[in-house]
Amino acid sequence: MRKRNIIILLSAGIIGWLSLSQADTHDHAKALQEQGDILPLETILDTARKDYPGKVLEVELESEHTAYYYELEILDKDGKVWELKYDARNGELLKKELED
């Protein structure tokens, strides 16, 4: 019984930490956008949808040193999944890759 309670408490703590991390990430992205450091996600999505129509499966805002990137996964009409990487400052497509 005690072991089960410890597992439940640890699980709740991890879930709470993940929720807080996601909220922090959202707030950070919003602040970067308001400061003009990155483009709005909707701008990137509009660009991606024009070149790669389909369903957006995943979006991430990544940082490397002082640069920010949007990484998207899009499922196209043929069932292929594309991974796209855009410069978050200017919207330039930096990388496109067909997922296996």
Side-chain angles (χ1 to χ4, degrees):
M1 182 71 159
R2 181 179 178 157
K3 185 176 180 180
R4 183 173 153 242
N5 289 342
I6 290 172
I7 291 171
I8 291 170
L9 287 173
L10 287 174
S11 297
I14 290 170
I15 291 169
W17 177 79
L18 287 174
S19 297
L20 180 59
S21 295
Q22 290 172 351
D24 288 346
T25 301
H26 175 75
D27 291 343
H28 183 67
K30 185 177 177 182
L32 288 169
Q33 180 185 335
E34 288 172 353
Q35 294 167 10
D37 292 335
I38 64 172
L39 293 171
L41 174 58
E42 198 58 43
T43 300
I44 300 297
L45 290 173
D46 288 345
T47 300
R49 287 180 182 128
K50 286 177 192 169
D51 297 330
Y52 297 88
K55 181 179 181 182
V56 177
L57 301 175
E58 186 176 340
V59 176
E60 293 181 30
L61 178 62
E62 300 284 331
S63 66
E64 213 172 278
H65 306 290
T66 59
Y68 290 92
Y69 307 96
Y70 283 108
E71 291 186 355
L72 287 69
E73 283 187 7
I74 295 180
L75 176 66
D76 72 12
K77 63 180 172 52
D78 298 324
K80 297 177 185 174
V81 176
W82 290 91
E83 182 178 302
L84 308 171
K85 184 175 182 178
Y86 289 90
D87 185 311
R89 292 183 195 272
N90 62 23
E92 177 186 356
L93 178 62
L94 302 171
K95 177 182 160 187
K96 64 180 179 180
E97 185 176 296
L98 190 58
E99 293 286 305
D100 294 329

